[in-house]
């Protein structure tokens, strides 16, 4: 998947990292909240990228810690990073929201069940909103958080606010 490639290559463009370090950065930057990326996919991806010659690895050992592979971008990897940046930025925008599968099927349920499903979505949206608010407050003045990372957090917060408003309108329309 090109998105995971871009995330991994982008992190390695800044510095050499182990797969574990990449996974921790994905967690810290909340990337998995807006891009489908999992821990196993990161480990598989570094192997694939190395096989393609886009990254190289060297083994490091730190004290009594076990050996680990640390990955570095190759010249081919730098070119692929640039290519993916332009390729993905030129694609039409698609927003996939899993809960839309519930929305399109609401009319097949009783009014009471419709309200319950919408309430569940609304509740989960509230959890996400609170999570984003906490993260924004925690990271907005942190020197190690890039402005682009904060921009994505704010983007996600604005989307949550828009979806909250939309759910309210949908609930009113179904009554």
């Amino acid at each position: 998947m090109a998105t995971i490639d871009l995330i991994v290559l982008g992190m390695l463009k800044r510095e050499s990292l182990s797969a574990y370090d990449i996974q921790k950065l994905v967690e810290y930057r909340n990337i998995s909240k807006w891009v489908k990326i999992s821990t196993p996919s990161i480990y598989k991806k570094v192997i694939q990228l190395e096989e393609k010659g886009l990254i190289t690895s060297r083994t490091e050992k730190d004290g009594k810690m076990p050996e680990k592979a640390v990955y570095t971008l190759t010249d081919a990897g730098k070119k692929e990073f640039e290519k993916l940046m332009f390729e993905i930025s030129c694609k039409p925008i698609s927003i996939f929201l899993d809960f839309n599968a519930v929305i399109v099927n609401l009319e097949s349920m009783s009014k009471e069940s419709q309200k319950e499903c919408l309430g569940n979505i609304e509740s989960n949206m509230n959890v996400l909103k609170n999570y984003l608010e906490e993260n924004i407050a925690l990271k907005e003045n942190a020197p190690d958080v890039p402005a682009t990372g904060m921009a994505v957090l704010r983007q996600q917060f604005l989307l949550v606010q828009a979806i909250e408003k939309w759910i309210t309108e949908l609930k009113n329309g179904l009554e």
Side-chain angles (χ1 to χ4, degrees):
M1 172 187 266
T3 307
I4 296 173
D5 292 10
L6 183 57
I7 289 167
V8 172
L9 293 173
M11 287 182 177
L12 294 175
K13 190 160 190 322
R14 289 190 190 107
E15 62 183 315
S16 297
L17 299 165
S18 68
Y20 176 79
D21 293 332
I22 293 169
Q23 183 256 324
K24 285 297 174 198
L25 276 172
V26 165
E27 282 178 25
Y28 178 72
R29 294 181 181 167
N30 303 303
I31 293 171
S32 60
K33 292 284 184 193
W34 62 82
V35 174
K36 289 191 185 233
I37 186 170
S38 65
T39 298
S41 67
I42 292 168
Y43 284 86
K44 289 177 190 172
K45 188 50 66 180
V46 293
I47 292 167
Q48 290 171 352
L49 292 172
E50 186 170 29
E51 287 172 354
K52 291 180 179 178
L54 302 176
I55 63 176
T56 59
S57 66
R58 69 180 185 282
T59 304
E60 286 187 2
K61 183 161 176 46
D62 188 18
K64 293 183 179 184
M65 300 298 292
E67 288 183 344
K68 64 180 178 180
V70 176
Y71 298 93
T72 304
L73 214 53
T74 63
D75 287 339
K78 291 174 186 172
K79 288 177 186 169
E80 182 68 9
F81 169 79
E82 294 284 329
K83 178 183 154 246
L84 287 173
M85 285 291 287
F86 287 104
E87 185 179 294
I88 293 173
S89 68
C90 289
K91 283 185 178 180
I93 305 294
S94 299
I95 299 175
F96 297 105
L97 303 170
D98 292 341
F99 65 81
N100 277 335
V102 172
I103 302 303
V104 299
N105 287 299
L106 280 175
E107 292 175 342
S108 299
M109 300 180 80
S110 68
K111 291 286 184 193
E112 186 175 302
S113 295
Q114 289 178 13
K115 287 180 184 178
E116 186 176 344
C117 285
L118 285 172
N120 291 338
I121 294 168
E122 192 171 36
S123 175
N124 286 322
M125 199 56 62
N126 217 2
V127 169
L128 178 57
K129 182 180 181 181
N130 290 335
Y131 173 82
L132 289 167
E133 284 175 329
E134 289 172 15
N135 250 302
I136 290 169
L138 183 69
K139 294 178 179 171
E140 73 184 332
N141 293 318
D144 62 331
V145 178
T148 51
M150 285 306 301
V152 172
L153 279 174
R154 288 189 188 100
Q155 171 209 64
Q156 295 297 296
F157 186 75
L158 289 171
L159 286 171
V160 166
Q161 288 179 314
I163 291 170
E164 282 180 325
K165 182 179 178 212
W166 170 81
I167 289 173
T168 300
E169 292 170 3
L170 180 60
K171 284 169 63 175
N172 292 339
L174 291 174
E175 291 178 358

